[in-house]
Every structure is written in structure tokens, then in C-alpha cells.
């Protein structure tokens, strides 16, 4: 295992070696940032395929030069798909240090497990790269605040993958709400429904020879390998994941917050449990949250093992005001009057369902286009890190409220828990020695 300092030292050496080893043929394929932004995609199991699809859709302004994953079969599978889709083969790496050291890379996309999101993004910024990071942007609130600070320090762009911020119909209806479509909005409800299966009871087994388990764990304190952790079920273990609220609730809560025009709340509460199955899953499968403001309220209801829909949607946001309601999701929106009669609607051509673990869609294409436009032209980002981090921090605090089984009073200026030292212990986490993120 290496320390963070040794990691940074090795980056410089790797960069020098990479510069020497770049062949004339590979160099000829690299287009300058003024023409196309060179991307490295890191973490290749599921959501990365949406990154591939969207960068292909934006191929006139972007190019994938590197792909990276700590698991060889996952890396090889993605490389094959990338070559078929793009018509050329990006360089492949298991160790993201080599990616950050490459001068050919302008920006990185991060679709790793949650515990790596902020630490890797901060290292990427320190290496001079722009960063597109999937939600949640951090594993805990302290990391989110550090990532905002790192963006400010290193003067690079950070876009969080809350792609509905780039959805034309969502932008349109939020604008109409701001113009008085439903009067004064004061209550927003977000929800997510799915039928996830049990993860069973795992057992400790030898680490697969194809997996760099040490680098997979990275900043997280070391634990033995179990056969139900990798490649997806880490989401449901507190050591690396953040539960369904951060995995999916981030999207709709962000839309609700946007529609209500609110930031951090005054109070957060949450109740729920693991009801559908008895297994190793450490979070809830059912959770009801409440975020309270001076004159508004926002809630999220997650049912990830019970697929009953609301408003005939498996996920979405309902914004309620003094004269009506807007129901909006990735597939469009509907407008209702005070009595619940539909008065108008808009349907998008295509949207993704809750069960889709990739989520490749036109919104993601536009979200990447916005990020590339920010790099090349100074275009305003639709989900800059200081915006995305608010919903993430709110939901992380709802996890704390659930963990402690009590409501939390917050400072709406920064989200800190007020007069509750026990709750503030959850603001950050312990790290493997030498791997704690720093700004």
C-alpha cells in the first residue's frame, strides 16, 4: 500500500515516462483541447457506459483517450465496447495514477464506488484536470465541502452528474414555476420505487486475481473481501456506499430543491428500515424523509424493494403550490389544478427507468455537452459542484437522522448540525492511513 504523498510523487514520475513512451501514431490521434476535450473515464462497471454513449454523442468536441478500472474483466469488456462505439481504442489502465499523470488528459469522469468520488476528484483537480463526477459527489458532508474548496483552489471545473439539470423540459417547467404557473410553491415530494433483490449473506473469500482490492478500497480503511461486495452491492454497505437516498434520491431531491428555490433546510428527519429482506444490506430499503424550511417543506420517499408507483411513475418529483401542482420526471411533466385535474402535459421522446443501471439518455448527452462547453467556451455549468453538493449533503444528513433515530436541527448557512456533537461525528469519516483527502 502507498501513502497519498507517495502517490503524488509517483504521478510526476509516471507523467515523465508517459511523455517519453507516447508513440507518433498515438500522438497523432490526440486533438488539442481547443478542438476536442480529451477525456479519461474512470470506474467502468455500469454508469460509465452512459459516459461512453454521451461522449460518443459529443464526439465533435470530445475524445476518450483513456479508460480505467481496477478489475481486469470489467476493464477489458469496456475497452471492447469503446472500440466498437468510437471506432478507435483508448489507452487502458488499471491504476488511475497513470491517467492523472498523463498530459494528454484534459478532464476525467468518475463513476467509481461512492467512497472514491470526492478523494479522486480532488486528486484530479490537483493534477490539473477538469472533473465530471457522478452523484453523490462525496461519501460524507466533509468531503463535499472539501471538493468545493478544491475546485476554488485549483480553478478547474467540476460538474456533478445530476443530469436532469440539463433536461430541456425540466428547465422549461422550472422556469414556468418561477413565473407563477402553480402560484407560490411550498411543498415538494420526491420518490423512487424499484424491485431490487436480496444480496444474501456473503462470506469472506480470496480476492479475485483480476481485482486490485487494495486500490479499490483506496481511502477506506481496509477490510477483507467478501463475495457479495463487488461489483455493485457495495452500495448497501456503509463503509463504501451511501444507500438508496444518495444512489438515486439525489436526482429528484435536487429537482425539488431547484423548483422550491431552497438551499440547506432548518431541520431534517428520516424514518425507515430494512423490511423486505433479511441479509447483509446495512441501509434501509424503505425510507421517508422530511426537510423543513421557514415556509416550505420537501420530502423524499424511497422504496427500492417495492415497486409501487406514484403518479404512475417509478420515480419523479411533485411540486405543489397555492394554485396547482407540477409532476415532473425524466419522461416529461404534467400540470394539475388545485382539485387534481390535469390541465396540460409534455412527454419527452425517451427516458430511462428505475431498473436501468446505466441510464444512457439525451439528458446525459446534454449534461456532457454543457460540461464541455464550460471547458471550451466558459459556458455556465448546469450542475456545478457547489449546487450539486447541497442535495447530496441534505441526504447524507437524512442518513444520519435515520441512524440516530431522531430529527436534526441544521444551520441553513452551511448544513452543519446544531447543538448535537454526536450527530456531527458523522460529518466525516475515518480514512486508511495516508489516504485522507486534503485541500
Amino acid at each position: 500500500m502507498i501513502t497519498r504523498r507517495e502517490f503524488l510523487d509517483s504521478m510526476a514520475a509516471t507523467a515523465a515516462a508517459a511523455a517519453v513512451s507516447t508513440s507518433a501514431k498515438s500522438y497523432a490521434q490526440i486533438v488539442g483541447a481547443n478542438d476536442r476535450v480529451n477525456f479519461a473515464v474512470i470506474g467502468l462497471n455500469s454508469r460509465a457506459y452512459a459516459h461512453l454513449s454521451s461522449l460518443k454523442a459529443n464526439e465533435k468536441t470530445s475524445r476518450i483517450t483513456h479508460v480505467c478500472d481496477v478489475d481486469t474483466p470489467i476493464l477489458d469488456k469496456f475497452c471492447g465496447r469503446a472500440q466498437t462505439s468510437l471506432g478507435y481504442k483508448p489507452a487502458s489502465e488499471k491504476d488511475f495514477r497513470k491517467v492523472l499523470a498523463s498530459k494528454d488528459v484534459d478532464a476525467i469522469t468518475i463513476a467509481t464506488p461512492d467512497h472514491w468520488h470526492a478523494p479522486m476528484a480532488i486528486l484530479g483537480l490537483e493534477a490539473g484536470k477538469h472533473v465530471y463526477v457522478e452523484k453523490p459527489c462525496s461519501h460524507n458532508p466533509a468531503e463535499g465541502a472539501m471538493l468545493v474548496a478544491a475546485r476554488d483552489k485549483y480553478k478547474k471545473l467540476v460538474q456533478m452528474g445530476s443530469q436532469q439539470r440539463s433536461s430541456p423540459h425540466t428547465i422549461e417547467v422550472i422556469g414556468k414555476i418561477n413565473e407563477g404557473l402553480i402560484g407560490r410553491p411550498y411543498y415538494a415530494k420526491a420518490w423512487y420505487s424499484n424491485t431490487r433483490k436480496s444480496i444474501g449473506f456473503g462470506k469472506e473469500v480470496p480476492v479475485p486475481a483480476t481485482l486490485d482490492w487494495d486500490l479499490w478500497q483506496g481511502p477506506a480503511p481496509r477490510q477483507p473481501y467478501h463475495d457479495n461486495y463487488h461489483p455493485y452491492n457495495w452500495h448497501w454497505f456503509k463503509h463504501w456506499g451511501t444507500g438508496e437516498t444518495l444512489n438515486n434520491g439525489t436526482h429528484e431531491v435536487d429537482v425539488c430543491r431547484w423548483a422550491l428555490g431552497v438551499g440547506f433546510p432548518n431541520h431534517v428527519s428520516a424514518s425507515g428500515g430494512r423490511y423486505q429482506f433479511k441479509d447483509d444490506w446495512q441501509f434501509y430499503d424503505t425510507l421517508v424523509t422530511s426537510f423543513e424550511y421557514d415556509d416550505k417543506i420537501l420530502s423524499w420517499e424511497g422504496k427500492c424493494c417495492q415497486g409501487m408507483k406514484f403518479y404512475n411513475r417509478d420515480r419523479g418529483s411533485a411540486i405543489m403550490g397555492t394554485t396547482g401542482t407540477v409532476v415532473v420526471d425524466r419522461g416529461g411533466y404534467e400540470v394539475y389544478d388545485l382539485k387534481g385535474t390535469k390541465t396540460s402535459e409534455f412527454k419527452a421522446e425517451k427516458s430511462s427507468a428505475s431498473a436501468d443501471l446505466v441510464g444512457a439518455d439525451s439528458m446525459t448527452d446534454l449534461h456532457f455537452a454543457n460540461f464541455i462547453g464550460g471547458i471550451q467556451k466558459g459556458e455556465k455549468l448546469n450542475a456545478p459542484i457547489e449546487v450539486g453538493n447541497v442535495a447530496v449533503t441534505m441526504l447524507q444528513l437524512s442518513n444520519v437522522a435515520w441512524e440516530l433515530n431522531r430529527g436534526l436541527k441544521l444551520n441553513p448557512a452551511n448544513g452543519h448540525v446544531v447543538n448535537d456533537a454526536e450527530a456531527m461525528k458523522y460529518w466525516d469519516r475515518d480514512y486508511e492511513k495516508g489516504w485522507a483527502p486534503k485541500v
Side-chain angles (χ1 to χ4, degrees):
M1 186 186 70
I2 63 170
T3 67
R4 182 178 183 276
R5 182 67 264 163
E6 290 168 334
F7 164 84
L8 294 173
D9 289 343
S10 72
M11 281 177 55
T14 306
V20 171
S21 63
T22 300
S23 68
K25 182 178 180 181
S26 63
Y27 185 81
Q29 292 178 330
I30 297 168
V31 181
N34 289 332
D35 301 310
R36 286 189 283 185
V37 178
N38 290 332
F39 278 87
V41 182
I42 307 174
L44 306 177
N45 184 51
S46 55
R47 181 61 179 162
Y49 286 91
H51 294 192
L52 171 62
S53 176
S54 289
L55 289 170
K56 169 63 176 177
N58 287 282
E59 62 184 348
K60 290 184 178 179
T61 54
S62 69
R63 183 177 180 85
I64 299 177
T65 60
H66 296 73
V67 295
C68 181
D69 197 280
V70 295
D71 190 315
T72 301
I74 290 174
L75 176 61
D76 291 346
K77 179 182 176 182
F78 190 91
C79 284
R81 180 77 66 83
Q83 185 168 10
T84 299
S85 174
L86 301 171
Y88 61 88
K89 186 177 181 179
S92 62
E93 299 286 356
K94 287 191 71 172
D95 192 331
F96 78 99
R97 292 173 294 173
K98 296 179 181 179
V99 170
L100 297 190
S102 173
K103 293 182 179 179
D104 297 335
V105 176
D106 303 312
I108 62 173
T109 81
I110 301 173
T112 62
D114 295 353
H115 70 287
W116 256 122
H117 284 188
M120 187 177 291
I122 291 169
L123 289 169
L125 291 168
E126 190 173 3
K129 316 303 182 186
H130 301 284
V131 176
Y132 183 106
V133 59
E134 279 301 332
K135 52 76 219 156
C137 58
S138 63
H139 181 267
N140 55 75
E143 287 183 351
M146 291 175 64
L147 183 50
V148 174
R151 187 279 312 270
D152 294 342
K153 178 178 180 179
Y154 297 111
K155 309 300 181 185
K156 295 294 182 179
L157 300 186
V158 182
Q159 175 104 300
M160 193 176 88
S162 46
Q163 63 269 20
Q164 201 166 343
R165 287 269 178 169
S166 292
S167 157
H169 73 258
T170 306
I171 294 170
E172 173 188 295
V173 79
I174 295 292
K176 289 181 177 180
I177 290 172
N178 291 337
E179 293 167 0
L181 176 64
I182 55 172
R184 177 176 56 82
Y186 59 83
Y187 173 45
K189 174 184 174 64
W191 68 92
Y192 176 85
S193 304
N194 202 349
T195 53
R196 296 189 187 277
K197 305 305 180 183
S198 174
I199 65 171
F201 295 95
K203 59 183 181 295
E204 184 175 339
V205 295
V207 178
T210 58
L211 174 65
D212 187 335
W213 180 234
D214 188 66
L215 191 55
W216 189 100
Q217 294 181 90
R222 295 298 177 262
Q223 288 198 355
Y225 183 81
H226 284 205
D227 59 5
N228 63 347
Y229 290 164
H230 176 71
Y232 188 81
N233 288 332
W234 54 264
H235 281 94
W236 322 125
F237 294 89
K238 297 173 185 177
H239 202 64
W240 311 291
T242 50
E244 197 71 88
T245 48
L246 280 302
N247 186 42
N248 273 297
T250 307
H251 290 294
E252 281 72 31
V253 168
D254 182 58
V255 170
C256 288
R257 192 181 71 76
W258 183 16
L260 291 180
V262 295
F264 291 116
N266 301 321
H267 189 270
V268 56
S269 60
S271 60
R274 179 64 168 161
Y275 303 126
Q276 186 80 10
F277 303 107
K278 299 301 180 184
D279 53 15
D280 282 342
W281 191 301
Q282 294 177 348
F283 287 96
Y284 37 79
D285 56 40
T286 306
L287 193 76
V288 179
T289 69
S290 179
F291 302 97
E292 299 173 22
Y293 298 85
D294 290 339
D295 59 353
K296 297 175 182 178
I297 188 169
L298 191 163
S299 69
W300 183 75
E301 184 170 334
K303 302 185 286 57
C304 61
C305 294
Q306 217 288 350
M308 184 65 187
K309 299 179 179 182
F310 295 131
Y311 297 96
N312 200 34
R313 291 164 161 83
D314 53 17
R315 64 188 307 165
S317 306
I319 319 301
M320 305 178 196
T322 53
T323 63
T325 297
V326 165
V327 177
V328 58
D329 67 1
R330 301 175 180 195
Y333 64 83
E334 298 171 350
V335 183
Y336 296 84
D337 65 17
L338 272 181
K339 294 183 179 181
T341 301
K342 187 190 298 185
T343 58
S344 65
E345 68 178 325
F346 171 84
K347 292 185 179 181
E349 291 185 3
K350 185 180 179 181
S351 63
S352 57
S354 290
D356 182 357
L357 302 182
V358 174
D361 51 34
S362 60
M363 288 189 302
T364 306
D365 296 349
L366 292 170
H367 210 45
F368 268 92
N370 172 241
F371 180 53
I372 295 166
I375 295 170
Q376 292 185 323
K377 306 173 186 177
E379 185 177 317
K380 183 179 179 181
L381 295 186
N382 291 334
I385 189 58
E386 73 276 9
V387 172
N389 183 56
V390 176
V392 169
T393 300
M394 286 168 56
L395 288 165
Q396 287 166 342
L397 292 171
S398 76
N399 276 350
V400 177
W402 169 74
E403 189 83 38
L404 298 177
N405 195 29
R406 65 170 182 267
L408 306 176
K409 182 180 179 181
L410 307 183
N411 178 348
N414 56 18
H416 285 206
V417 184
V418 177
N419 299 324
D420 193 335
E422 183 182 14
M424 277 302 290
K425 289 180 181 178
Y426 291 85
W427 188 258
D428 54 17
R429 70 168 302 169
D430 293 328
Y431 293 93
E432 180 69 11
K433 185 177 180 181
W435 275 104
K438 298 176 182 178
V439 179

